Amino acid sequence: MSTLSKPIVGLILGMVLTGCATHSANQPTGRTPALIQQLDGAAAALRAGEIEKAERLYMSIATDYPEIAVAHLQLGNMAYQSNRSEAAQQHFKTALEREPGHVLATYNLAMVHLQSARELLADHKELAPVTAARPGLVAIRQALEGLNSSAPHQDH
């Protein structure tokens, strides 16, 4: 797996801090410093390219603070980057359950679904080339292929 570029890591850190600031008002005072410390540790691990450590830390945050959407957003991004589409979908859905209308979680979930659609239609083309040659299916495949970005975004 490639390491994350500095701009992406900076954006991730910004999202983490935004998520912390958004939710800290809902946290009891005694839990806020621990949450901030965990988020800082997870973001630092991600910046350092320690993806497994970052994933463990974000999973711990998701367990200890189930209301925090940003942990699931990051877990979804990491799952997608390691080709675990189903896990990515679940994390993005959970982020949306925690924070309905979350722009990045909504977009990223859509991108994961589009990638899944591309893969399924490619499988269909292999399994049933005659059916896959129907104009409607060809148009759908071409439209999906024509979309610029299939990767979830980590910025606004």
Side-chain angles (χ1 to χ4, degrees):
M1 176 170 313
S2 64
T3 59
L4 297 173
S5 68
K6 287 183 181 182
I8 291 175
V9 172
L11 291 170
I12 291 170
L13 179 58
M15 288 187 321
V16 168
L17 295 176
T18 301
C20 182
T22 302
H23 295 287
S24 63
N26 299 328
Q27 300 294 322
T29 305
R31 290 174 58 179
T32 302
L35 173 59
I36 292 170
Q37 186 176 22
Q38 284 181 289
L39 286 168
D40 286 346
L46 203 52
R47 275 192 313 275
E50 298 172 346
I51 304 303
E52 290 177 10
K53 180 179 180 181
E55 193 167 12
R56 275 194 321 275
L57 292 170
Y58 280 119
M59 188 59 76
S60 177
I61 293 165
T63 301
D64 294 346
Y65 304 93
E67 67 279 10
I68 302 297
V70 71
H72 288 284
L73 180 70
Q74 297 299 14
L75 288 165
N77 288 335
M78 287 182 278
Y80 184 83
Q81 289 173 356
S82 61
N83 296 316
R84 294 178 287 133
S85 294
E86 289 181 25
Q89 286 179 26
Q90 187 55 53
H91 284 297
F92 294 141
K93 285 178 185 178
T94 301
L96 284 169
E97 289 169 5
R98 303 299 186 260
E99 193 175 317
H102 191 290
V103 174
L104 289 175
T106 302
Y107 177 84
N108 288 355
L109 181 59
M111 290 299 101
V112 173
H113 282 298
L114 284 173
Q115 183 60 32
S116 294
R118 283 185 189 103
E119 292 167 4
L120 287 170
L121 286 170
D123 290 347
H124 177 259
K125 186 177 177 182
E126 293 283 324
L127 295 170
V130 173
T131 306
R134 291 182 180 162
L137 290 174
V138 170
I140 290 170
R141 281 195 311 277
Q142 288 174 340
L144 286 173
E145 291 168 8
L147 295 174
N148 290 335
S149 175
S150 64
H153 282 296
Q154 300 181 20
D155 61 346
H156 297 286

